[in-house]
């Protein structure tokens, strides 16, 4: 195992992580960033096809280059011995990062709610389908239904349209009046207003229904049709793909393991983005889903504060303006109670362990369900069924245990064998102009 010493260690290289890294380094700190993907940028700035980097990410890379930030790509956080000692694996090699301050910018993941047929091939998350298409999965000419809730539906629909998909319907579970009420608040954020108007203009030819949600997907070897329920009745559409997601939930597993306070499913932070654990900061969607502009502002605040520098007032003001919009967003896309009744008794809820809804309905807690059915004990470690069962049954998070992600036993066995940091620097790169 190799050791890496860092003053500010940042977990995640999405918009919040990149902003935190740049701010901390420019404040004079020695910064390391850990990212599980093969390129930085997160889902929002994910490279498309063989493209080396999203244009926005390249601008951040150039900024990080000037300050010597080390970015460890394809590196998975495995465990932690408190907030000052983080264990990772990269290419089968374990590393131990020792740091003075830690910034968690682990982002969010999609919320999936079970309904009959949601496990069929061809039924994916909204962001999941976008990621597949960006990676080269063919979508041109395929009939696609986009359903669920939140602004991500429109953004993904527009992305699929540009790649030749035949968009049959965008189904938003929120009522039209709630979305209109949100739109009236956009004057406070001109950039968001321009983005929203642009999306609506580009999608003007795509049918859209509000107060509409999926009831059932049908097919044999893959999805063939989807039945949707709306306030004005039901509709069934034949399709080749169903992209379905009911918003985003913060990725708080590591924060919870470190003992950080969590409220309403998000990491709690103060005005400097510091958590209840001294020296541990949070930025971006781990503190609450609010979009890329808020993530960048929070990252800049967290990185500067973690470096021990004074946070510029402009970043605090920008963050506060963006945060004021989040409450409107939450109210507009609040999930309707009907979604709790979508699953049939035989509908699979925990996909990893094939646990059906009827096996969970009588459990009093997530822990009781886990002991009786193994729900949440599969390879995703509850990342899919955990938020779903919290919505369905009101269960709170069970205890988080390492390893945070599945890793080879050989990598875990390497803990305790330490090599000097200069012995093997292969798992990090300092950004260069042609990376």
């Amino acid at each position: 195992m190799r050791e890496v010493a860092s003053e500010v260690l940042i977990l995640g290289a999405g918009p919040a992580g990149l902003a935190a890294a740049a701010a901390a380094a420019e404040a004079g700190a020695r910064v390391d960033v850990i990212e599980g993907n093969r390129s930085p940028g997160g889902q929002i700035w994910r490279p498309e096809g063989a493209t080396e980097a999203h244009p926005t990410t390249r601008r951040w890379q150039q900024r990080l280059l000037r300050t010597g930030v080390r970015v460890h790509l394809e590196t998975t956080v495995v465990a932690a011995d408190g907030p000052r000692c983080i264990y990772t694996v990269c290419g089968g090699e374990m590393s131990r990062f020792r740091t003075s301050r830690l910034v968690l910018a682990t982002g969010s993941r999609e919320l999936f709610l079970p309904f009959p047929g949601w496990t069929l091939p061809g039924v994916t998350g909204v962001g999941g389908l976008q990621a597949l298409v960006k990676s080269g999965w063919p979508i041109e000419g395929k009939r696609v239904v986009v359903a669920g809730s939140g602004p991500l539906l429109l953004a993904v629909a527009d992305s699929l349209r540009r790649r030749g998909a035949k968009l049959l319907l965008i189904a938003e579970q929120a009522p039209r009046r709630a979305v209109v009420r949100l739109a009236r608040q956009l004057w406070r954020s001109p950039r968001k207003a321009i983005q929203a108007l642009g999306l609506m203009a580009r999608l003007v030819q795509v049918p859209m229904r509000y107060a509409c949600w999926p009831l059932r997907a049908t097919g044999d070897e893959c999805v063939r049709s989807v039945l949707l329920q709306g306030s004005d009745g039901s509709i069934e559409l034949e399709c080749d793909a169903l992209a379905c997601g009911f918003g985003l939930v913060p990725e708080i597993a590591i924060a919870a393991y470190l003992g950080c306070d969590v409220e309403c499913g998000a990491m709690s932070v103060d005005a400097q983005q510091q958590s209840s654990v001294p020296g541990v900061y949070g930025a971006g969607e781990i503190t609450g889903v609010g979009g890329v502009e808020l993530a960048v502002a929070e990252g800049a605040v967290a990185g500067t504060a973690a470096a021990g520098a004074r946070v510029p007032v402009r970043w605090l003001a920008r963050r506060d303006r963006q945060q004021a919009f989040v409450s409107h967003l939450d109210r507009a896309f609040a999930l309707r109670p009907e979604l709790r009744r979508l699953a049939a008794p035989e509908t699979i809820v925990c996909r990893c362990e094939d646990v059906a809804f009827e096996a969970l309905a009588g459990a009093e807690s997530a822990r009781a369900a886990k002991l009786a059915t193994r729900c949440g004990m599969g390879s995703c470690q509850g990342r899919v069924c955990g938020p779903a069962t919290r919505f369905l049954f009101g269960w709170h998070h069970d205890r988080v245990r390492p390893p945070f992600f599945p890793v080879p036993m050989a990598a875990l066995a390497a803990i305790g064998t330490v090599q000097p940091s200069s012995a093997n620097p292969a798992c990090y790169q300092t950004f260069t102009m042609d990376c």
Side-chain angles (χ1 to χ4, degrees):
M1 183 193 303
R2 70 187 183 109
E3 278 209 341
V4 181
S6 179
E7 291 180 332
V8 177
L9 179 63
I10 298 168
L11 306 188
L18 292 175
E26 289 165 359
R30 186 171 66 255
V31 180
D32 287 88
V33 181
I34 296 174
E35 170 58 47
N37 292 312
R38 65 180 61 183
S39 61
Q43 179 63 27
I44 190 69
W45 295 330
R46 185 185 180 96
E48 301 193 18
T51 303
E52 289 293 334
H54 187 282
T56 304
T57 308
R58 288 191 67 86
R59 290 195 292 271
W60 283 103
Q61 290 175 351
Q62 292 166 7
R63 186 174 171 183
L64 298 183
L65 171 64
R66 293 193 294 268
T67 53
V69 172
R70 298 186 296 183
V71 180
H72 307 254
L73 299 175
E74 297 185 272
T75 300
T76 301
V77 177
V78 176
D81 186 7
R84 308 290 181 262
C85 181
I86 304 295
Y87 292 95
T88 69
V89 63
C90 173
E93 180 191 27
M94 292 290 298
S95 297
R96 178 164 57 190
F97 287 78
R98 296 194 180 276
T99 184
S100 299
R101 275 89 60 194
L102 180 67
V103 179
L104 301 179
T106 48
S108 62
R109 59 186 184 275
E110 290 190 80
L111 172 60
F112 304 105
L113 299 180
F115 55 88
W118 78 297
T119 59
L120 279 171
V123 181
T124 66
V126 174
L129 182 56
Q130 183 184 45
L132 283 171
V133 171
K134 284 185 176 183
S135 299
W137 192 72
I139 197 67
E140 185 175 359
K142 292 187 177 180
R143 301 165 299 172
V144 181
V145 174
V146 178
S149 193
L152 186 61
L153 299 186
L154 297 181
V156 172
D158 181 50
S159 176
L160 299 176
R161 176 196 61 81
R162 286 186 282 108
R163 288 162 181 78
K166 293 180 61 177
L167 290 171
L168 305 181
L169 180 69
I170 301 173
E172 168 59 63
Q173 64 87 38
R176 181 188 295 271
R177 63 179 180 276
V179 178
V180 170
R181 192 161 49 241
L182 173 68
R184 290 173 178 164
Q185 301 297 323
L186 289 179
W187 66 270
R188 303 174 187 273
S189 180
R191 184 176 298 180
K192 282 188 173 64
I194 293 171
Q195 290 172 346
L197 289 172
L199 279 174
M200 296 303 293
R202 292 191 295 273
L203 295 171
V204 68
Q205 300 297 327
V206 180
M208 184 165 185
R209 297 182 70 179
Y210 295 95
C212 183
W213 58 93
L215 288 179
R216 181 179 68 248
T218 56
D220 37 34
E221 295 181 354
C222 62
V223 64
R224 296 300 182 192
S225 67
V226 56
L227 178 67
L228 301 112
Q229 178 66 51
S231 56
D232 55 350
S234 60
I235 180 174
E236 187 165 10
L237 297 172
E238 293 185 355
C239 62
D240 303 307
L242 169 61
C244 189
F246 293 90
L248 301 170
V249 290
E251 180 60 80
I252 59 169
I254 297 176
Y257 179 78
L258 294 175
C260 302
D261 286 346
V262 173
E263 185 176 355
C264 299
M267 177 182 177
S268 299
V269 294
D270 62 15
Q272 302 292 302
Q273 299 296 131
Q274 185 168 208
S275 74
S276 59
V277 177
V280 178
Y281 298 78
E285 295 186 331
I286 189 176
T287 68
V289 177
V292 64
E293 293 178 55
L294 176 58
V296 169
E298 289 186 347
V301 173
T304 306
R310 182 177 180 179
V311 180
V313 174
R314 71 178 187 279
W315 280 115
L316 296 171
R318 187 177 301 184
R319 179 202 60 190
D320 294 346
R321 284 197 304 271
Q322 296 299 325
Q323 285 180 339
F325 182 74
V326 173
S327 59
H328 299 294
L329 198 69
D330 292 341
R331 285 195 297 271
F333 297 109
L335 298 182
R336 58 179 58 245
E338 292 96 327
L339 300 177
R340 292 189 173 91
R341 301 189 291 271
L342 292 181
E346 67 278 7
T347 301
I348 296 295
V349 175
C350 176
R351 301 174 67 152
C352 297
E353 296 294 328
D354 288 336
V355 182
F357 180 85
E358 61 184 349
L360 301 173
E364 296 181 354
S365 66
R367 181 167 177 77
K370 179 182 291 186
L371 291 173
T373 68
R374 292 186 55 83
C375 178
M377 296 180 68
S379 59
C380 87
Q381 297 182 300
R383 286 177 170 82
V384 174
C385 62
T389 54
R390 185 164 59 247
F391 176 76
L392 293 173
F393 306 115
W395 295 343
H396 296 292
H397 272 283
D398 198 10
R399 288 182 293 176
V400 178
R401 298 181 179 89
F404 303 130
F405 294 93
V407 293
M409 287 296 295
L412 292 178
I415 294 179
T417 305
V418 182
Q419 298 176 2
S421 59
S422 60
N424 188 355
C427 281
Y428 76 83
Q429 69 176 83
T430 299
F431 276 129
T432 58
M433 295 297 290
D434 59 349
C435 67

